[in-house]
Amino acid sequence: MDRVYIFDTTLRDGEQSPGATMNVEEKIIVARQLEKLGVDAIEAGFPISSEGDFEAVRRIAEEVRGCQIVGLARTRSQDIDRAWEALKAGEDPRLHVFIATSDIHLQHKLQKTREQVFEEMQSAVRYCRKLTANVEFSCEDATRTDLDFLVRMAAGAVAAGARVVNIPDTVGYAVPPEMAEIIGRLLREVPGIENVILSVHCHDDLGLAAANSLAGVLAGARQVECTVNGLGERAGNAALEEIAMALRTRGGQLGLSTGIRTEQLYPASRLVRAVTGIVVPPNKAIVGRNAFAHESGIHQDGVLKNKLTYEIMTPESVGLPATKLVMGKHSGRHAFRERMGELGFELSDEQLETAFRRFKALSDKKKEVFDEDLETLIMDEIIQVPRRYRLDYINVTSGSQVMPTASVQLDIDGYQARNAEFGDGPVDASFKAIAKLTGTKSRLVVFSVNAISGGTDAQGEVRVRIEEDGVEVTGVGAHTDIIVASAKAYVDALNKLDYRKKNPPGQLHQDAP
Ligand SMILES: [Zn+2]
């Protein structure tokens, strides 16, 4: 079997998803799960683009072992130095440099000639090689690049010492036969290509990211760049879980395999959902709620007689618990610890003990405790990422014959601040009170409420998206009282906005491959 390397870019390209903001602590939690999942490389950020990115790459390189940590850089030496500064404590860190190669980008973005771009690429790769042998080069917008020039760029990168040459379909424009043709030509025409790994990086604008990635692999590429849940710029990147399961389910016939521990796919998906607040559509392949649900009678009958009739892979193989185990009052420590693992949380003994006590308190209030309840509990109370605002309490009065009022106390930078406001309804009143306390100028773009589980004691999950100066963030909050959940979601969003404003992603990210 030929090994296909999985390069995860959830923390770099994935974080470019509209509304998906992760702070450093959250990125570290995700990186730990990626390591458990068995990815070969984690692209942790674009160090020169912001302080936050730099810090995330530095911490992950320092703390995560067992896979390569990658930092992105443009061809300028300042970029490379900054990336290396962040990476150098890592086990086998990789410098990833890129430059656009399509005529469209050369003329309109870089205002450079092909010759200049070629020269810059070579001097950048050589510069990287002075720091490490582990160098990857990407031709941004490769699929819209003149193929003769692409061959020349790849050959130049190999000659300068790149170990991995990546072919990004930056704008999601390619169709599978084209991807195969590009990889095939590079393999035939680039001298020394047998000594490097060819890679593909596909976007899903036409819904073809996974198909294009596989076409590249079948033509000889041996690294796929992808993200958990297919997060990423615009329509997203190729979904890691789709690539991993396609190669697990069909790899036997194709002679291909990956190092992914597929039983960790579902926990990884849940974790990324919990951290970013970006939901997974129910019909999403592999990790969607309905991916293994057999609704129609004929199918159910077939599955009951023999699973093979309609099931090409088992729910267990992707880490979906065989039974929807609901936790409750009588669940013990052992079951609790196991469930935490299934949800992708790596907790210390001390955190686990605190979490277990909180869980017991919750199960006193609520008969059935669902996965979503546990995720909220962990994100809210155990993984205490540094936050500027914290909701101390909220009290509302509302009804058909009173003026809705909310009084709120927030902890802001360690100080208590209190305010009360009237509103059109209890949510409006509480948002007004919070807005005044935080002085936010943001605009509410989306507000949605979902019941996490059945029953009137269900936790309500509220999701808000707010916008300020073109920056959009998503906040999530859950509580058995939906007004409290709304206030928590709003405060969560304001924290993310605050982080984003202090750590602007900058224009740089939009120019990445
Ligand atoms: Zn990309």
Side-chain angles (χ1 to χ4, degrees):
M1 293 280 251
D2 245 12
R3 173 75 178 268
V4 176
Y5 296 103
I6 299 295
F7 174 114
D8 179 276
T9 183
T10 307
L11 302 176
R12 200 275 298 168
D13 216 327
E15 208 212 4
Q16 287 174 243
S17 295
T21 304
M22 291 177 257
N23 66 27
V24 177
E25 299 299 325
E26 291 167 330
K27 284 184 180 176
I28 290 169
I29 298 163
V30 173
R32 292 236 161 83
Q33 174 61 24
L34 291 171
E35 181 195 358
K36 220 164 137 191
L37 180 61
V39 305
D40 299 287
I42 296 175
E43 186 163 55
F46 189 174
I48 204 161
S49 70
S50 73
E51 279 304 315
D53 263 50
F54 177 86
E55 196 50 22
V57 175
R58 189 186 68 76
R59 293 265 316 269
I60 291 169
E62 240 172 51
E63 294 176 30
V64 176
R65 290 287 176 263
C67 56
Q68 297 181 20
I69 307 302
V70 186
L72 186 67
R74 291 171 300 181
T75 49
R76 309 179 324 155
S77 58
Q78 299 96 301
D79 276 44
I80 298 167
D81 287 339
R82 188 81 177 136
W84 187 245
E85 182 63 29
L87 285 169
K88 64 184 182 193
E91 210 167 40
D92 182 15
R94 183 187 298 181
L95 279 169
H96 179 191
V97 282
F98 74 95
I99 193 163
T101 52
S102 67
D103 288 335
I104 301 173
H105 279 230
L106 261 58
Q107 283 161 22
H108 301 291
K109 188 175 97 176
L110 300 176
Q111 279 110 30
K112 283 179 181 155
T113 64
R114 288 184 182 182
E115 208 47 49
Q116 282 172 310
V117 163
F118 183 85
E119 291 298 323
E120 271 185 36
M121 173 276 295
Q122 280 217 314
S123 64
V125 173
R126 289 204 187 100
Y127 189 84
C128 290
R129 279 303 306 258
K130 288 188 199 145
L131 302 164
T132 174
N134 195 354
V135 179
E136 170 168 342
F137 171 70
S138 282
C139 305
E140 190 191 356
D141 203 19
T143 51
R144 291 192 300 172
T145 299
D146 172 64
L147 204 41
D148 289 327
F149 182 55
L150 193 68
V151 169
R152 181 157 178 248
M153 286 294 290
V158 173
R163 190 191 266 183
V164 180
V165 174
N166 181 38
I167 303 302
D169 184 22
T170 306
V171 292
Y173 178 72
V175 289
E178 274 172 347
M179 209 61 196
E181 190 198 339
I182 293 171
I183 298 298
R185 262 199 74 182
L186 293 172
L187 282 172
R188 284 193 304 275
E189 296 179 20
V190 173
I193 196 79
E194 60 282 1
N195 303 319
V196 308
I197 295 169
L198 262 179
S199 165
V200 287
H201 173 117
C202 301
H203 279 271
D204 210 29
D205 298 69
L206 295 173
L208 294 171
N212 283 333
S213 304
L214 280 180
V217 166
L218 292 176
R222 285 297 173 265
Q223 173 179 283
V224 177
E225 301 196 356
C226 46
T227 59
V228 175
N229 297 341
L231 285 185
E233 187 78 281
R234 303 181 311 276
N237 287 61
L240 188 155
E241 59 275 12
E242 293 174 13
I243 304 295
M245 286 315 286
L247 290 176
R248 173 166 165 161
T249 308
R250 305 303 310 277
Q253 287 101 321
L254 305 173
L256 298 165
S257 70
T258 71
I260 294 295
R261 290 182 273 277
T262 59
E263 296 74 16
Q264 292 294 332
L265 286 170
Y266 185 72
S269 168
R270 296 296 311 199
L271 181 67
V272 168
R273 173 193 180 277
V275 167
T276 60
I278 307 241
V279 286
V280 174
N283 60 329
K284 167 79 183 65
I286 319 296
V287 293
R289 193 183 346 116
N290 295 346
F292 291 91
H294 297 278
E295 286 282 0
S296 88
I298 293 174
H299 282 209
Q300 279 182 353
D301 185 51
V303 170
L304 286 177
K305 282 181 183 137
N306 183 342
K307 284 190 172 186
L308 284 175
T309 46
Y310 286 100
E311 209 170 78
I312 59 166
M313 52 194 165
T314 64
E316 294 81 11
S317 67
V318 307
L320 195 80
T323 50
K324 187 106 183 123
L325 184 73
V326 179
M327 309 277 293
K329 233 178 152 79
H330 302 291
S331 306
R333 262 190 189 72
H334 181 72
F336 182 74
R337 178 189 285 269
E338 199 129 284
R339 199 55 164 194
M340 285 292 118
E342 285 169 358
L343 294 176
F345 292 110
E346 235 359 92
L347 300 179
S348 70
D349 287 346
E350 194 187 329
Q351 286 176 321
L352 204 76
E353 198 47 45
T354 318
F356 185 68
R357 277 203 306 275
R358 300 281 159 84
F359 155 70
K360 281 287 172 191
L362 181 66
S363 65
D364 276 340
K365 272 195 273 179
K366 196 163 182 287
K367 215 165 67 216
E368 294 176 310
V369 178
F370 292 87
D371 289 349
E372 289 84 351
D373 297 325
L374 294 174
E375 282 167 349
T376 309
L377 186 151
I378 299 296
M379 295 307 294
D380 273 10
E381 304 187 36
I382 306 302
I383 300 165
Q384 285 171 340
V385 290
R387 290 198 168 119
R388 180 151 189 227
Y389 310 117
R390 220 187 54 226
L391 181 68
D392 283 341
Y393 68 73
I394 173 165
N395 293 314
V396 292
T397 44
S398 72
S400 55
Q401 292 188 345
V402 293
M403 173 91 90
T405 344
S407 56
V408 173
Q409 180 172 304
L410 291 185
D411 184 307
I412 304 177
D413 298 324
Y415 295 98
Q416 265 74 47
R418 238 165 305 172
N419 183 34
E421 291 286 332
F422 295 113
D424 284 340
V427 173
D428 183 50
S430 37
F431 279 27
K432 274 184 182 154
I434 293 167
K436 199 163 249 176
L437 285 171
T438 56
T440 182
K441 303 266 180 298
S442 61
R443 188 172 62 86
L444 184 66
V445 187
V446 176
F447 175 86
S448 71
V449 187
N450 261 304
I452 282 176
S453 48
T456 46
D457 70 344
Q459 290 225 68
E461 186 181 62
V462 174
R463 215 161 266 286
V464 303
R465 194 183 270 205
I466 56 174
E467 185 269 337
E468 187 178 322
D469 299 331
V471 181
E472 275 196 22
V473 293
T474 313
V476 188
H479 197 273
T480 43
D481 181 323
I482 60 162
I483 307 301
V484 180
S486 304
K488 284 170 82 175
Y490 190 37
V491 171
D492 184 40
L494 290 170
N495 275 317
K496 291 195 160 155
L497 190 63
D498 179 62
Y499 176 80
R500 236 330 153 224
K501 279 161 78 183
K502 288 176 185 153
N503 299 277
Q507 284 303 98
L508 289 185
H509 264 294
Q510 286 165 16
D511 292 341

